[in-house]
Amino acid sequence: MRYVVLGALIALSSAVAVSGVAELLTGWIHPWERAGVLRPVPHGLGLVLTGSGLGCFAGIFVFTPTGHVLLTLLAAGAGVFLTGTALLGVSRFPDR
């Protein structure tokens, strides 16, 4: 059961990151987000970083490192995920 949930989390994180790359390359935004997103570049970068952070968390639970490596990967995954989330918030603020 653990690997099913982790597989779903990896699929979700990959889908988020791929949609961010598609947004950065083509400017396409999901239809349900078009009204709220005012800056597409930070939004696409935020999706890539958020998906990468989720993937890092899933990788931690798949490979189960121990000791100092676990703390380093958790800190890196949390930093990348929070940076992506902050960029998603910034993309919804209007320009000056």
Side-chain angles (χ1 to χ4, degrees):
M1 182 68 185
R2 172 180 151 185
Y3 292 110
V4 172
V5 173
L6 289 174
L9 182 62
I10 290 172
L12 174 72
S13 67
S14 298
V16 170
V18 166
S19 68
V21 170
E23 184 174 342
L24 285 173
L25 292 177
T26 64
W28 182 81
I29 299 174
H30 293 113
W32 57 86
E33 292 182 322
R34 285 186 187 143
V37 174
L38 300 174
R39 299 178 188 174
V41 173
H43 189 261
L45 189 58
L47 285 175
V48 170
L49 291 177
T50 302
S52 300
L54 283 175
C56 186
F57 284 135
I60 288 169
F61 291 119
V62 168
F63 297 112
T64 58
T66 58
H68 189 263
V69 175
L70 175 65
L71 294 176
T72 304
L73 287 176
L74 280 174
V80 169
F81 180 77
L82 290 176
T83 303
T85 305
L87 281 172
L88 287 174
V90 164
S91 70
R92 297 182 185 274
F93 285 121
D95 289 334
R96 291 184 185 186

